[in-house]
């Protein structure tokens, strides 16, 4: 089974300065960015693929143009390694408030081709809940205005119908011309007025039926259900008529197990061999289990009756409690970013495993609107606790580390006066952009980074703004610089806050870096009036006593230690998200071991319509024994790599023994078990994780044994769900 992570620009500064909380380069386009696949190596990368949604990609015109020009594997920003498979879909969640998907089928196929993804998904529309008694009304946001806005809608209407408001596209796809011609090919948008919403709810809805700014549906979920299937049918026809380089997956929707199952039957009749269960993200585990069980049973029946295989993806679902059901029902792939997003949403944002989750320690930046003294004081409070936490992690004297920081911070302001006196009119500060001046200042002034770390980015920005307007011919009064600097001096006189108490504890115990010592600093920080995080202290106590980062073997924790357990800015928080993903993936692999079944290739693989056809002809007994096994991946191996069962035959076949061994060795780095089918007993391989098996039934038996499944692994349906069919 494969786990995909959605791509949402989840990148960090590869060379971030954690000590001073400084980006390596202020210009984003010049910065070296690291995605999760950059931080981990081939063997340890905690994902099996990347999901890229069009709706998300369109959030940046620059990004959209870039990935459609270069493709996702050659894009200089994403730089996804070619061994990671990619799926692209429309991003139905992003347009759920529109009455129709905004994309046309042929346009989506062309988009997938330009992106050079491995799998493209048909256009679906989320089947939303039943809504209120009278159904759902969609309004074009462009028609709302200061004279008549959303708050002016009559309550008699909003009490009876769900109202969905969004900005409609300037051009709708062709499906709209058939389903709702009143809104298709409309030029301008007239503003709504109160007269449009006069009368009873029924009168308003009747009026909206022909209004080009509105769509009313009494049974909206059925419409969305049918649209999703119509798009799957249309896109399949276009796909068959064209020459596309990617695999096509049919997304299907429903609102209960039976409607999901019925939708599946329809897409299977369209000859899809990769199908995607949409609309379950955020659903309760029991609901998802019921849906995938129904889908799994129907797929099992289809595979048995047709002697083929069907791969199934579950969109937006990755609950560890559901792995057993997901695996047994024959799902092939899942995707989720929930464990990544959890790193900066709510508590319990550092994950060690499903049972051990901890609160990352919040060390806050300044807030918008803080005056200079408040900003400087928050920064110094933060630096005192950050240096204490690092000393605690390193096993060093916390008091010495705090004194060392303070000794480095206090000369900064005096040096700043001297520097500004000599350099404030330097031509390097003639730049127009604050970013450019800031870069010059922090690189040229010896303590440019320490100034920001200890006395706040706000203080440094104020100085940089003065530098920008300061001109030798029309100089700024130097007292304006001194006023800013003296604000920092006044705050610095009140620090360090806790060093004497910590030093006394060290002398009394004869030990350093104890919990009690670091707690003295952290408690002072969290209970200060400027921070007021005392309600978080219980969680912090658990985190510091447990030291979970010491028990993690991911490269992020091994390199950064306690920094990963500090809640502070993108570069810590996203790295913690990558760590969470790694920990999730370890459980994913434990519960659903990664198993690859491969058969050897020969020259007849060349030019085949499908690898499945080759397996059926050359290794019929093996295909019959394994084609319906859940979780495991199936393919044919030559020296060029593994050709998956659904792919067309390769344009060339290499039987070089050393190349085949190298490919198996490489694959073994990503799989827990590789079962190499060798009916003639001729293979001579000595590679960890590669088992040579001569009997097809033994291949099946070993696979199910690794998974802990019996011969018929699909869980039974809930009897009440089955009764719904009658």
């Amino acid at each position: 089974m494969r786990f995909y992570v959605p791509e949402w620009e989840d990148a960090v500064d590869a060379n971030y300065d954690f000590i001073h909380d400084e980006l390596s380069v202020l210009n984003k386009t010049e910065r070296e960015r690291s995605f999760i696949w950059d931080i981990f190596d081939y063997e340890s990368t905690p994902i099996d693929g990347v999901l890229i949604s069009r709706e998300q990609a369109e959030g940046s015109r620059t990004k959209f143009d870039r990935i459609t020009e270069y493709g996702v594997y050659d894009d200089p920003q994403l730089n996804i390694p070619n061994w990671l498979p990619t799926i692209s879909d429309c991003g139905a969640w992003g347009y759920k408030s529109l009455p129709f998907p905004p994309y046309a089928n042929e346009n989506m196929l062309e988009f997938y081709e330009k992106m050079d993804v491995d799998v493209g998904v048909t256009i679906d529309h989320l089947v939303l809940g039943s809504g209120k008694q009278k159904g759902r009304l969609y309004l074009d946001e462009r028609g709302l205005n200061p004279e008549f806005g959303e708050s002016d809608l009559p309550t008699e209407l909003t009490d009876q119908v769900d109202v969905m408001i969004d900005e409609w596209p300037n051009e709708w796809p062709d499906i709209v011309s058939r389903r709702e011609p009143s809104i298709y090919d409309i030029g301008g948008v007239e503003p709504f007025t109160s007269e449009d919403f006069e009368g009873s709810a029924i009168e308003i809805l009747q009026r909206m039926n022909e209004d080009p700014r509105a769509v009313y549906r009494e049974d909206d979920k059925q419409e969305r259900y049918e649209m999703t299937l119509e798009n799957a049918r249309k896109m399949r026809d276009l796909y068959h008529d064209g020459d596309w380089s990617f695999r096509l997956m049919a997304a299907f929707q429903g609102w209960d197990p039976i409607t999901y199952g019925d939708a599946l039957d329809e897409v299977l009749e369209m000859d899809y061999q990769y199908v995607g269960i949409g609309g379950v993200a955020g659903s309760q585990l029991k609901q998802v289990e019921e849906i995938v069980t129904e889908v799994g049973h129907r797929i099992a029946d289809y595979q048995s009756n047709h002697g083929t295989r069907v791969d199934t993806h579950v969109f937006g679902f990755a609950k560890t409690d559901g792995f057993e059901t997901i695996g047994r029902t024959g799902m092939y792939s899942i995707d989720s970013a929930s464990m990544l997003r959890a790193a900066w949403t709510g508590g319990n944002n550092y994950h060690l495993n499903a049972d051990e989750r901890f609160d990352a320690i919040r060390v806050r930046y300044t807030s918008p609107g803080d005056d200079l003294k408040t900003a400087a004081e928050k920064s110094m409070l933060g630096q005192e606790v950050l240096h204490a936490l690092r000393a605690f992690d390193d096993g060093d004297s916390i008091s010495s580390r705090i004194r060392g920081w303070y000794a480095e911070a206090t000369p900064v302001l005096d040096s700043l006066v001297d520097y500004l006196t000599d350099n404030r009119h330097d031509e390097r500060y003639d730049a127009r952009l604050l970013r450019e001046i800031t870069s010059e200042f922090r690189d040229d002034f010896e303590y440019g980074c320490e100034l920001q770390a200890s006395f706040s980015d706000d203080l440094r920005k104020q100085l940089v703004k003065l530098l920008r307007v300061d001109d030798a011919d029309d100089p700024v009064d130097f007292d304006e610089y001194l006023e800013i600097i003296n604000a920092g001096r006044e705050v610095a006189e009140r620090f360090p806050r806790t060093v004497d108490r910590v030093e006394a504890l060290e002398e009394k115990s004869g030990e350093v870096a104890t919990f009690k010592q670091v707690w003295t600093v952290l408690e002072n920080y969290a209970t200060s009036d400027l921070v007021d995080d005392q309600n978080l202290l219980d969680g912090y106590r658990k985190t510091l006593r447990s030291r979970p980062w010491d028990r993690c073997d991911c490269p992020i924790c091994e390199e950064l230690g306690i920094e990963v357990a500090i809640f502070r800015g993108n570069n810590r928080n996203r790295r913690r998200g990558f760590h969470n993903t790694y920990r999730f993936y370890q459980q994913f692999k434990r519960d659903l071991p990664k198993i690859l079944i491969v058969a050897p290739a020969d020259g007849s693989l060349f030019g085949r319509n499908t690898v499945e056809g080759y397996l059926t002809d050359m290794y019929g007994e093996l295909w019959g024994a394994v084609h319906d096994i859940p979780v495991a991946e199936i393919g044919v191996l030559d020296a060029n790599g593994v050709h998956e069962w659904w792919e067309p035959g390769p344009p060339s076949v290499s039987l070089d023994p050393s190349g085949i061994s190298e490919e198996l060795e490489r694959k073994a780095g990503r799989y827990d078990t590789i079962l190499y089918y060798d009916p003639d007993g001729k293979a001579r391989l000595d590679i960890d994780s590669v088992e040579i098996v001569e009997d097809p039934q033994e291949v099946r038996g070993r696979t199910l044994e690794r998974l802990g499944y019996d011969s018929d692994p699909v869980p039974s349906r809930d009897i009440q769900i089955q009764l719904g069919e009658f």
Side-chain angles (χ1 to χ4, degrees):
M1 181 175 286
R2 292 177 176 174
F3 168 62
Y4 287 75
V5 66
E7 194 288 300
W8 288 338
E9 285 293 304
D10 287 305
V12 295
D13 183 349
N15 302 300
Y16 187 73
D17 179 354
F18 287 90
I19 300 302
H20 299 106
D21 279 311
E22 287 274 21
L23 295 166
S24 58
V25 181
L26 295 184
N27 189 333
K28 183 177 179 180
T29 61
E30 298 174 2
R31 198 180 307 148
E32 181 186 350
R33 301 197 304 162
S34 289
F35 290 83
I36 193 167
W37 49 82
D38 298 311
I39 289 177
F40 295 85
D41 59 22
Y42 169 78
E43 293 187 2
S44 64
T45 296
I47 60 173
D48 299 305
V50 184
L51 173 67
I52 303 156
S53 292
R54 177 167 182 169
E55 190 273 336
Q56 192 280 330
E58 288 180 334
S60 164
R61 186 75 242 179
T62 302
K63 177 180 178 179
F64 182 83
D65 291 344
R66 203 181 64 235
I67 61 177
T68 51
E69 178 182 355
Y70 295 104
V72 295
Y73 291 106
D74 293 323
D75 172 56
Q77 291 287 323
L78 283 178
N79 198 30
I80 297 173
N82 58 15
W83 57 267
L84 270 179
T86 47
I87 297 174
S88 183
D89 67 358
C90 303
W93 182 261
Y95 55 79
K96 67 181 185 299
S97 297
L98 294 176
F100 297 93
Y103 307 118
N105 288 296
E106 190 161 15
N107 178 262
M108 282 307 305
L109 291 172
E110 292 167 354
F111 172 75
Y112 296 147
E113 189 72 16
K114 288 178 181 177
M115 289 232 299
D116 191 30
V117 292
D118 296 301
V119 177
V121 184
T122 58
I123 301 170
D124 62 336
H125 210 16
L126 285 177
V127 172
L128 302 175
S130 299
K132 296 178 181 174
Q133 61 183 23
K134 293 291 185 181
R136 183 165 287 122
L137 174 66
Y138 297 88
L139 298 179
D140 187 347
E141 190 174 37
R142 296 174 299 173
L144 299 177
N145 56 85
E147 284 71 35
F148 189 89
E150 183 176 356
S151 62
D152 296 310
L153 293 171
T155 55
E156 182 178 288
L157 176 68
T158 56
D159 285 345
Q160 297 193 50
V161 298
D162 284 327
V163 180
M164 308 288 279
I165 300 173
D166 204 342
E167 183 177 338
W168 293 5
N170 291 322
E171 185 177 342
W172 286 108
D174 287 345
I175 192 174
V176 178
S177 66
R178 299 188 301 277
R179 288 184 170 267
E180 196 73 34
S182 66
I183 72 168
Y184 185 70
D185 199 22
I186 300 300
V189 178
E190 295 291 328
F192 285 114
T193 66
S194 57
E195 287 77 15
D196 294 318
F197 294 90
E198 288 181 346
S200 67
I202 293 176
E203 290 172 330
I204 296 170
L205 294 174
Q206 287 175 341
R207 198 177 303 131
M208 292 295 111
N209 264 332
E210 297 301 321
D211 194 308
R213 302 160 297 179
V215 170
Y216 169 63
R217 296 183 188 133
E218 192 166 353
D219 190 355
D220 185 63
K221 67 174 187 267
Q222 184 67 32
E223 287 277 341
R224 286 169 172 257
Y225 179 88
E226 291 173 0
M227 267 188 274
T228 298
L229 291 173
E230 181 180 337
N231 281 325
R233 188 173 294 104
K234 178 63 175 176
M235 192 175 280
R236 187 66 180 181
D237 292 341
L238 292 168
Y239 183 82
H240 275 314
D241 292 341
D243 182 19
W244 310 98
S245 63
F246 55 89
R247 188 184 188 190
L248 189 63
M249 179 200 300
F252 62 100
Q253 297 272 344
W255 55 89
D256 59 26
I258 299 305
T259 53
Y260 270 101
D262 291 345
L264 168 72
D265 289 344
E266 290 205 36
V267 296
L268 291 178
E269 288 178 9
M270 301 175 204
D271 293 329
Y272 278 98
Q273 291 186 303
Y274 200 2
V275 297
I277 303 173
V280 298
S283 299
Q284 295 295 317
L285 175 60
K286 187 175 188 302
Q287 293 176 290
V288 179
E289 288 182 326
E290 290 172 350
I291 290 166
V292 299
T293 298
E294 180 66 28
V295 168
H297 272 279
R298 297 200 190 202
I299 285 177
D301 291 343
Y302 184 88
Q303 290 178 149
S304 176
N305 293 334
H306 293 79
T308 189
R309 184 174 176 88
V310 176
D311 293 332
T312 309
H313 184 89
V314 187
F315 284 99
F317 177 83
K319 289 183 169 67
T320 53
D321 291 348
F323 283 165
E324 175 74 8
T325 302
I326 288 289
R328 286 185 178 274
T329 52
M331 303 299 106
Y332 173 75
S333 53
I334 57 176
D335 75 87
S336 178
S338 60
M339 66 294 299
L340 195 157
R341 296 281 172 273
W344 57 86
T345 55
N348 289 327
N349 36 47
Y350 179 102
H351 299 176
L352 197 62
N353 52 53
D355 299 320
E356 290 187 279
R357 299 186 175 185
F358 302 88
D359 287 352
I361 298 164
R362 293 174 185 262
V363 182
R364 299 182 182 273
Y365 289 108
T366 59
S367 304
D370 285 344
D371 58 48
L372 278 182
K373 290 181 182 178
T374 300
E377 187 172 0
K378 278 186 180 179
S379 289
M380 295 203 84
L381 277 168
Q383 287 303 306
E384 186 166 338
V385 77
L386 284 169
H387 283 78
L389 290 169
R390 293 179 189 125
F392 172 72
D393 188 26
D394 295 339
D396 291 342
S397 165
I398 293 172
S399 66
S400 296
R401 194 72 71 88
I402 293 175
R403 289 193 191 282
W405 155 68
Y406 190 68
E408 290 180 2
T410 46
V412 169
L413 299 178
D414 290 335
S415 299
L416 181 58
V417 175
D418 295 336
Y419 176 83
L420 290 172
T421 301
D422 296 338
N423 296 278
R424 63 183 177 132
H425 295 143
D426 194 290
E427 63 180 13
R428 67 169 59 90
Y429 299 130
D430 291 340
R432 182 177 60 86
L433 296 176
L434 280 173
R435 184 183 64 205
E436 295 175 7
I437 299 173
T438 304
S439 294
E440 293 288 350
F441 175 75
R442 76 173 194 174
D443 292 343
D444 192 60
F445 176 46
E446 182 180 1
Y447 304 107
C449 292
E450 185 61 48
L451 175 68
Q452 184 272 149
S454 291
F455 296 99
S456 83
D457 187 50
D458 300 63
L459 190 145
R460 189 173 71 181
K461 275 182 180 175
Q462 290 299 316
L463 292 171
V464 168
K465 286 179 180 178
L466 282 181
L467 283 171
R468 183 169 64 168
V469 299
D470 199 352
D471 186 270
D473 296 328
D474 184 19
V476 169
D477 188 335
F478 198 76
D479 284 347
E480 292 190 42
Y481 288 107
L482 292 177
E483 184 179 350
I484 296 170
I485 294 168
N486 288 336
R489 281 200 176 110
E490 185 178 329
V491 171
E493 290 173 358
R494 302 197 292 269
F495 281 84
R497 298 280 181 90
T498 56
V499 69
D500 292 337
R501 282 185 283 158
V502 172
E503 194 169 53
L505 290 171
E506 290 174 343
E507 291 174 355
K508 182 178 180 181
S509 66
E511 297 178 313
V512 297
T514 66
F515 170 80
K516 190 172 184 180
Q517 293 158 14
V518 75
W519 190 253
T520 298
V521 185
L522 181 57
E523 187 176 38
N524 174 78
Y525 173 80
T527 58
S528 66
D529 291 339
L530 292 181
V531 178
D532 193 23
D533 279 343
Q534 58 189 10
N535 61 310
L536 304 177
L537 284 172
D538 287 343
Y540 294 167
R541 184 179 288 107
K542 175 185 173 185
T543 301
L544 289 176
R545 286 196 180 281
S546 300
R547 299 177 63 102
W549 59 89
D550 285 342
R551 292 185 279 148
C552 179
D553 61 349
C554 83
I556 300 173
C557 289
E558 289 183 343
E559 178 186 355
L560 298 176
I562 199 171
E563 300 284 0
V564 189
I566 295 173
F567 194 113
R568 183 174 169 87
N570 174 72
N571 280 283
R572 286 184 183 83
N573 295 347
R574 267 200 169 81
R575 280 178 169 87
R576 185 168 57 258
F578 295 162
H579 150 87
N580 288 349
T581 304
Y582 173 83
R583 300 304 304 188
F584 166 85
Y585 193 71
Q586 300 313 300
Q587 182 168 348
F588 174 68
K589 290 206 304 176
R590 282 194 300 272
D591 293 354
L592 298 169
K594 295 188 67 60
I595 301 171
L596 174 64
I597 300 171
V598 290
D602 65 19
S604 67
L605 179 62
F606 167 76
R608 288 267 187 167
N609 287 335
T610 64
V611 173
E612 179 184 13
Y614 172 83
L615 286 167
T616 303
D617 291 345
M618 303 299 295
Y619 303 107
E621 290 186 13
L622 174 70
W623 182 250
V626 304
H627 76 270
D628 62 338
I629 292 183
V631 178
E633 298 174 30
I634 304 171
V636 173
L637 175 73
D638 74 348
N640 296 317
V642 173
H643 309 284
E644 295 188 66
W645 70 271
W646 53 268
E647 292 184 273
S652 65
V653 177
S654 173
L655 304 181
D656 173 45
S658 62
I660 291 172
S661 293
E662 288 174 6
E663 277 299 315
L664 275 175
E665 187 83 54
R666 191 176 73 88
K667 285 288 186 183
R670 293 287 303 171
Y671 288 87
D672 300 296
T673 301
I674 296 178
L675 296 171
Y676 183 88
Y677 180 58
D678 180 33
D680 300 325
K682 296 179 179 179
R684 297 293 180 266
L685 300 166
D686 185 17
I687 302 170
D688 290 342
S689 301
V690 177
E691 301 176 20
I692 301 171
V693 188
E694 299 179 15
D695 179 71
Q697 290 303 320
E698 188 177 352
V699 175
R700 180 181 182 86
R702 289 197 192 186
T703 304
L704 293 174
E705 181 184 358
R706 299 289 189 282
L707 295 168
Y709 299 165
D710 52 30
S711 59
D712 185 19
V714 183
S716 60
R717 295 168 167 136
D718 188 306
I719 186 64
Q720 295 302 320
I721 294 171
Q722 295 180 66
L723 289 174
E725 298 177 11
F726 305 99

